[in-house]
Structure formats: C-alpha cells, structure tokens
Amino acid sequence: MMKKLFFSFMALAAIALVGCKETKDDPQPQPQDGIIQVTHQLGEKVTNPLNLQWCKDSVSAKATLSSLRHISDVFYYMDYQMDMQLDNLLAGNYRTRDAFDKAFNDMMFNPGGEEPVYTPQRIACSGFVCKNEQGELLLGRNFDGDFGPLLMMFNRTNGAKYVQMTDPCYNSLIYINLETKKADGMLSNGKASLHRLLRQPLLTMDGMNEYGLCFGAFQLPKFDTVNIAPIYQEGHGDAMGANLFHNLILSKCKTVKDVETFMSQHDFVTNNTTLNVHWLMADATGDWAMFEFWDNELNVYREDTLYKMSSNTCTPTPYEWYNIENYYRSWIPYTAYPKPGEATKSNWQSFFSSRIRATHMMNNYHPIMSEMEALKCLQEGRYSIEVYDHLTNWSCVYNPKQRTILFCLRNDMSKVYKVDLKKEL
C-alpha cells in the first residue's frame, strides 16, 4: 500500500514539474496551415525598465507595461489596462494638438515622464473592401509609414473591447534609430523605459472592436496653410482629433451608421499640422463607407462607387482627386513604374503616388476574394522599401462578421498571422 502511495506521489510530482516548465517558458508562435495564430500567451517578456515613478496610476501602468510581449521580428503585443477617460477628453473640447497632448500627458504622467511625439515625414496607406466566398465583407488595409514595428494592443478598459494596430516609432524618438532608420528590437533593448507606451492608443492607425466595427485611416493633403489646426467640421459639438476619434468610435460604436451619427454630433479638427485624414470603415452587418470632410462638412460615400478602394496622396493634386466619388472614376490608370533600385528622392513621389499604387492594386482586385487572396492583393499596392527608405509596415485583412484579422509585416508573406477577437477580447 505504501509503495503504491509513493509511486502515485511521484507521478503527481512529475506532472507538476512539467506544468511548471510549461508556464515558465514563453511559448513561441507555431504556424497552423501556414498561418500563425496570435494569442495573449505568445511571445517573450520584454524586460525594459518601467519607470513607474512617472506614471500617475502606477498599478494599472505596471499591469499594462508588464503585459508587453515580443511576438517575433518587429511584432509586439500589449494588453492596455489604463483608464483613458475618453468622455473627459472629449468634453475638454481641445482644438489644437498641443492642448490635447498636454491634457493627456497631465492625466497620465507625472512631470518628467512626457515627451513630444515624433511627426512622420511620409505616410502612404492604401486599402479596399471586397467580399469572401461566403459573402462576408472584408476590409483590406496597408499601413505605409516610417520603418517602425507593429504594436498590437488589446484595449479592454475603455468601453467596448477593441484591438488597435499602432506604430511605436510615432510615440517617441527613443523607440526609433533615426541614423539607421530602423526600429527593429528598439522596444526590447533593455534600456528604453516603456512608460511612454501608455500613450500608444493615441497612435492607432486601424483597428476593430468586439462588435466587428473596423476602420483604416488614410492620409490626405492639407491645402489650408493659414490655420495651424483647421476645423473641418464646426458648430456640431465638442471637438475631437483623429487620435481621440479612433478610440471613441471603437469604444462607443457598433456599426458604420453609429459612426456617422457620432461624427455628425461633434466637431472634427486636425491634430497634426501637416496632414488631414479620411477613413474606410466596415461592420458586421456588411455595411461599409468612406468618411471624409469636404468644404468643412462630413461626407459619407457608400456602395455606389465604382472601385471600393481608398488611398491618400504624395503629390499636390487638387483635393477633389481624393473625394472617393471622383477619385476612381475619372482618371486614366498609370502604367509606368521605376524598376527596383531606380527610384530616387526626386521621382519617388511622381512614380509611387497613391494613384499609381492604387492602380497597381486594382489590376489584382476582385469583388470576391478569400482573406489570403485579399492579403496578396494588398501586396500589389504596397510601398516599396526601395523608395526613399519608405515601406509598408503591415498589411491586414479584417473580417467584421467573424471578428478576425489576417496580417503580415513588411510585405513578408512567409509569415502570416491571424487573431480571432472572439477568443482574445
């Protein structure tokens, strides 16, 4: 009897030791059917100092920053647990970037913890909507920026739960090496404090909430050089810029129509003196629309467009080119491209303007595509790393009905990731 009890005890001890080993080691991403499934258990812990003395809510700050994981290459994950006080920020009616940044920094940081954000020099995104074989709406989107990593954040504290796709190099200069023009590993170099990542939700480029509402933001030119922060919609209520707006719609809205109602009840201002923004949005009902401001009023364009695509600009073309009603119906597609390595500082704008990239992508576009086909189509509209140190940071395909995101980084289709928000939110 004693011998049986001894062996039973040893077996339980062995199981316990195996369990401890599994929880101690950080699991690494494993591909399934060629796709890496992203979960919050993946990745390696980042050991940078937290410098919590600069954070007003050190408890939530520690929980947030301790969740940072390095998934692979230039891909990071974080569980954002800070109360952003979105309603208070909206009620503040901030109409300049400086005023809004000061209010947010005062709310989040003690003196010494804040730092001015990095203003990107070139943003050149592109995207489209289509349907898959099951009739489900897909929203595809390239984020073309200044060589930063992807930090995917799961925000469960501010209203509806949502995921945000962000680039930390726009957060602080310490997260980017301007000499080498690389951000690879900068978040996990063991030296840079992570506390400034608490500001990361303000740098959301695209995202999806638990209801399936998703969007992609695209840069537009600004032709008003007189006002520092032009008001694009005035006389409707408290003002919001894109950095606050992206969080508000993901936390409050369920459908594209909800967004339209919300935007019509507030003023919209630019938080950046060099760019304006418009948005391609979709939801789980199958509705989608392009939102943009024209003559200081909100315009919403839906399914009567010929091509269900969006982009921005790199050239001083008149603004009406980028009104989606005119953009894809009137111009003749360009066919000339510089060969790899032949693009220069003087010709990258003319050859790789948003119109040319969109044309290239349209040649591969079909109204019905699988998620993987849509992701490949995005690669045809990418920005090449050959072009003046500019590249596509990430490409992603949102399925609002299924609440899934398929994505890859820096045009690398050898590693395709997928996250299921029904499981992760």
Side-chain angles (χ1 to χ4, degrees):
M1 181 65 179
M2 292 298 294
K3 184 180 291 187
K4 290 182 177 179
L5 286 175
F6 173 78
F7 283 112
S8 297
F9 174 78
M10 292 300 291
L12 288 172
I15 292 172
L17 287 173
V18 171
C20 289
K21 186 178 188 303
E22 288 179 348
T23 56
K24 181 180 178 180
D25 294 339
D26 292 310
Q28 297 303 305
Q30 298 297 324
Q32 299 178 5
D33 299 326
I35 297 176
I36 299 172
Q37 304 293 326
V38 177
T39 68
H40 65 278
Q41 294 95 352
L42 283 183
E44 300 175 348
K45 294 181 180 180
V46 177
T47 58
N48 292 36
L50 302 185
N51 289 2
L52 296 175
Q53 72 272 17
W54 284 331
C55 305
K56 289 191 172 179
D57 182 356
S58 59
V59 175
S60 298
K62 183 176 182 180
T64 297
L65 299 174
S66 297
S67 72
L68 183 65
R69 296 289 186 274
H70 185 197
I71 305 298
S72 66
D73 301 325
V74 289
F75 176 27
Y76 295 81
Y77 162 101
M78 192 167 74
D79 187 359
Y80 195 84
Q81 302 178 46
M82 304 295 295
D83 181 4
M84 293 181 63
Q85 303 180 36
L86 294 174
D87 289 333
N88 290 339
L89 288 173
L90 179 59
N93 196 24
Y94 303 109
R95 293 175 179 258
T96 67
R97 178 180 180 178
D98 289 343
F100 179 85
D101 283 352
K102 183 180 186 305
F104 187 83
N105 284 332
D106 290 346
M107 175 185 74
M108 197 69 64
F109 303 115
N110 293 318
E114 66 277 357
E115 181 180 321
V117 298
Y118 165 57
T119 300
Q121 301 302 309
R122 299 173 299 278
I123 302 179
C125 310
S126 55
F128 56 78
V129 292
C130 65
K131 290 186 178 181
N132 64 15
E133 300 92 331
Q134 292 73 41
E136 298 165 341
L137 186 70
L138 305 178
L139 188 154
R141 183 271 206 293
N142 285 328
F143 175 69
D144 303 323
D146 280 348
F147 39 75
L150 166 63
L151 173 55
M152 173 181 279
M153 292 190 305
F154 292 85
N155 198 321
R156 302 174 175 87
T157 308
N158 299 278
K161 294 176 287 187
Y162 52 99
V163 66
Q164 300 169 278
M165 308 286 267
T166 73
D167 185 340
C169 83
Y170 299 146
N171 191 328
S172 171
L173 288 174
I174 68 173
Y175 297 132
I176 192 168
N177 187 329
L178 293 178
E179 293 182 0
T180 62
K181 294 191 171 83
K182 292 182 179 180
D184 302 27
M186 291 296 289
L187 292 186
S188 55
N189 64 2
K191 299 177 182 179
S193 172
L194 300 175
H195 74 279
R196 293 177 181 86
L197 293 181
L198 300 180
R199 191 170 54 197
Q200 200 63 31
L202 303 183
L203 303 162
T204 301
M205 313 301 181
D206 48 274
M208 175 188 281
N209 67 16
E210 62 181 306
Y211 303 109
L213 176 69
C214 59
F215 79 94
F218 304 86
Q219 179 184 356
L220 281 177
K222 280 180 55 176
F223 296 99
D224 185 350
T225 59
V226 177
N227 298 317
I228 295 177
I231 298 173
Y232 284 106
Q233 180 167 270
E234 189 173 15
H236 296 261
D238 292 331
M240 56 186 175
N243 47 16
L244 177 59
F245 168 66
H246 296 165
N247 288 274
L248 287 168
I249 60 170
L250 289 174
S251 67
K252 294 178 178 292
C253 299
K254 297 181 179 180
T255 66
V256 172
K257 291 182 179 178
D258 290 344
V259 176
E260 185 175 359
T261 299
F262 185 80
M263 293 186 77
S264 67
Q265 295 171 346
H266 298 89
D267 287 0
F268 183 82
V269 302
T270 56
N271 287 127
N272 191 311
T273 58
T274 61
L275 59 88
N276 182 18
V277 181
H278 67 172
W279 305 268
L280 190 59
M281 300 191 186
D283 64 35
T285 71
D287 190 15
W288 70 273
M290 169 60 71
F291 289 75
E292 64 181 27
F293 290 97
W294 177 253
D295 291 335
N296 294 332
E297 291 294 334
L298 174 66
N299 289 266
V300 182
Y301 306 103
R302 280 190 165 84
E303 294 207 25
D304 56 346
T305 54
L306 179 62
Y307 289 106
K308 304 173 183 180
M309 291 189 178
S310 176
S311 190
N312 47 24
T313 180
C314 296
T315 58
T317 308
Y319 189 81
E320 56 265 22
W321 275 111
Y322 303 97
N323 175 312
I324 199 169
E325 284 292 291
N326 301 322
Y327 185 32
Y328 296 108
R329 291 185 175 183
S330 54
W331 51 269
I332 299 173
Y334 284 56
T335 57
Y337 300 88
K339 296 179 180 179
E342 293 183 1
T344 66
K345 182 176 179 179
S346 61
N347 72 11
W348 73 275
Q349 287 185 323
S350 61
F351 280 107
F352 278 86
S353 71
S354 58
R355 286 177 292 166
I356 292 180
R357 288 183 294 109
T359 303
H360 199 185
M361 193 162 60
M362 279 193 291
N363 290 334
N364 296 271
Y365 172 86
H366 301 282
I368 299 177
M369 292 187 285
S370 68
E371 276 90 332
M372 188 63 77
E373 289 171 336
L375 190 63
K376 291 179 179 178
C377 182
L378 285 169
Q379 303 313 296
E380 300 300 329
R382 68 188 185 275
Y383 229 13
S384 171
I385 194 171
E386 299 284 346
V387 185
Y388 199 39
D389 299 316
H390 195 104
L391 75 164
T392 297
N393 292 44
W394 64 80
S395 306
C396 52
V397 177
Y398 290 90
N399 184 324
K401 187 173 182 179
Q402 298 299 328
R403 276 69 157 179
T404 59
I405 311 172
L406 193 72
F407 59 100
C408 66
L409 308 175
R410 301 194 176 187
N411 315 131
D412 183 5
M413 289 287 288
S414 69
K415 289 185 180 179
V416 176
Y417 301 88
K418 186 173 185 177
V419 60
D420 187 339
L421 301 191
K422 297 190 297 296
K423 297 178 180 179
E424 293 303 305
L425 287 180

